[in-house]
Amino acid sequence: QVQLVESGGGSVQAGGSLRLSCAASGYTYNTQHMAWFRQAPGKEREGVASISTGGGSTYYADSVKGRFTISQDNAKNTVYLQMNSLKSEDTAMYYCAAAQATLVMWRWWLQAGRYNSWGQGTQVTVSS
């Protein structure tokens, strides 16, 4: 089992930036993908960005392309989400997730059901 702990959330004005961190521990050796999801009140959880831990390939939701960047530091077992040009609609609880299976289809990379380890979440609030 992989344990995930997110940090870095907070309140920011529209147009501002935040960087989220996700520290992984436990049986991380067979983790194939790491991802960030978010869930706003009354809405379904949606995939934001995903990264392949082996090759470093990334995949983003259309709503965040060009504004968010996912990256990883394998030595620290940490994944980051740099969020720039934040909008009020980015307000949500952000969750880190890990998948041990190889996700062979691009569209799987942002599907919550493909991930089997989750963090507790960190709140991001963007005020306009």
Side-chain angles (χ1 to χ4, degrees), residues 39-103:
Q39 188 168 19
K43 295 188 177 181
E44 291 188 357
R45 189 168 296 191
E46 65 168 336
V48 174
S50 180
I51 188 167
S52 169
T53 59
S57 297
T58 58
Y59 190 69
Y60 297 91
D62 288 343
S63 59
V64 305
K65 278 181 183 176
R67 299 189 299 122
F68 290 11
T69 302
I70 188 171
S71 62
Q72 61 184 355
D73 184 334
N74 288 335
K76 296 182 179 180
N77 284 331
T78 300
V79 172
Y80 304 97
L81 185 68
Q82 178 66 44
M83 305 185 294
N84 298 328
S85 302
L86 283 161
K87 306 175 182 179
S88 57
E89 50 262 46
D90 294 319
T91 294
M93 184 72 77
Y94 283 71
Y95 298 90
C96 178
Q100 274 64 57
T102 298
L103 305 180

Side-chain angles (χ1 to χ4, degrees), residues 8-53:
S11 297
V12 64
Q13 289 192 331
S17 299
L18 282 174
R19 189 177 82 153
L20 306 183
S21 299
C22 172
S25 61
Y27 291 98
T28 62
Y29 68 95
N30 61 344
T31 297
Q32 302 299 319
H33 296 267
M34 296 287 292
W36 287 96
F37 289 78
R38 66 186 181 187
Q39 188 168 19
K43 295 188 177 181
E44 291 188 357
R45 189 168 296 191
E46 65 168 336
V48 174
S50 180
I51 188 167
S52 169
T53 59

